[in-house]
Amino acid sequence: MNLLIRTLIVSICILFYVSYLHAQTNYYTTTKTFNENGYTYQCDVAASRFVSLYNKNNKWINIYPVYKDTGKSFVQDEAGDGIKLLESDTWTRSKRFSIVNSAFSASEKQRIKGHDFTIIMYINSGTGKVDEVSFEFPNFRPYATIPVSVYRRIETEIKENIWYAPTTVGKKLNYIFYWWAQEPK
């Protein structure tokens, strides 16, 4: 009887250990392409182990913002206030945060607690719609254990539900770069 109980306890411990290891899978250890259900994501891992994760269809990912009429690079003002590219609004911040918060399961939120990641939007300077979304995080932090499907859910929701009104200066650019860091709650 004693041997049976010990075997049962060891079996349960092994199941918990295997479950723990599966939940801790690091999806983003190297540069690679993820071919998922109807979409393809690219994961670029720098020597610093910093991950850039984005939809393979994104065209602005490595293109700097420029003025459409001159092709001259856009550089944000270093005085502190910056050049205003988007009109002020009262709803996008809370909506963006809500989209990110709802994309993660309760267990994923527990795993990433205390850490934030960067969400980058590439906004159409003519329409104000979000054309593209990318994500950045170190591959040695808990965000590396989050599957691509969660990031895809965030991308899709942002593109469908967030839009802006570009300012006169914003409309002169090929696109508007906008980012924020967030810890999902």
Side-chain angles (χ1 to χ4, degrees):
M1 188 70 164
N2 205 6
L3 180 61
L4 181 61
I5 292 173
R6 259 193 271 163
T7 304
L8 181 61
I9 290 172
V10 167
S11 297
I12 290 171
C13 288
I14 288 172
L15 284 174
F16 279 121
Y17 181 71
V18 168
S19 173
Y20 173 79
L21 285 179
H22 178 69
Q24 300 301 315
T25 300
N26 186 333
Y27 296 103
Y28 313 102
T29 56
T30 61
T31 294
K32 62 183 161 187
T33 302
F34 293 90
N35 292 303
E36 300 291 323
N37 299 321
Y39 58 91
T40 304
Y41 262 59
Q42 180 63 38
C43 166
D44 296 333
V45 181
S48 63
R49 296 175 51 200
F50 212 74
V51 173
S52 182
L53 182 67
Y54 55 94
N55 191 313
K56 189 83 168 180
N57 291 329
N58 284 8
K59 64 180 182 180
W60 300 119
I61 191 73
N62 292 313
I63 306 294
Y64 289 100
V66 298
Y67 289 96
K68 291 187 269 191
D69 60 345
T70 65
K72 183 179 175 188
S73 292
F74 169 76
V75 179
Q76 190 59 270
D77 185 338
E78 294 182 27
D81 292 335
I83 299 169
K84 193 172 177 180
L85 302 176
L86 301 168
E87 297 292 344
S88 297
D89 62 69
T90 58
W91 66 278
T92 55
R93 178 181 165 83
S94 61
K95 183 67 176 171
R96 287 185 285 117
F97 275 65
S98 175
I99 289 169
V100 172
N101 289 340
S102 65
F104 292 87
S105 69
S107 64
E108 289 168 338
K109 287 178 187 176
Q110 195 59 33
R111 200 161 62 239
I112 59 180
K113 189 175 184 168
H115 302 279
D116 59 11
F117 73 119
T118 302
I119 303 99
I120 303 165
M121 297 184 298
Y122 303 81
I123 301 165
N124 185 304
S125 60
T127 66
K129 292 187 62 133
V130 178
D131 283 346
E132 300 174 4
V133 179
S134 66
F135 309 93
E136 294 183 351
F137 50 87
N139 76 354
F140 50 88
R141 291 284 171 97
Y143 288 96
T145 67
I146 304 299
V148 173
S149 59
V150 173
Y151 297 105
R152 171 64 174 183
R153 192 168 28 249
I154 295 168
E155 174 199 12
T156 303
E157 287 289 317
I158 286 174
K159 287 166 78 174
E160 289 176 5
N161 296 299
I162 301 293
W163 61 89
Y164 295 89
T167 63
T168 303
V169 176
K171 289 179 181 181
K172 294 179 181 180
L173 302 177
N174 55 344
Y175 74 91
I176 299 169
F177 182 89
Y178 189 92
W179 68 272
W180 78 98
Q182 182 176 343
E183 175 191 343
K185 304 284 183 189

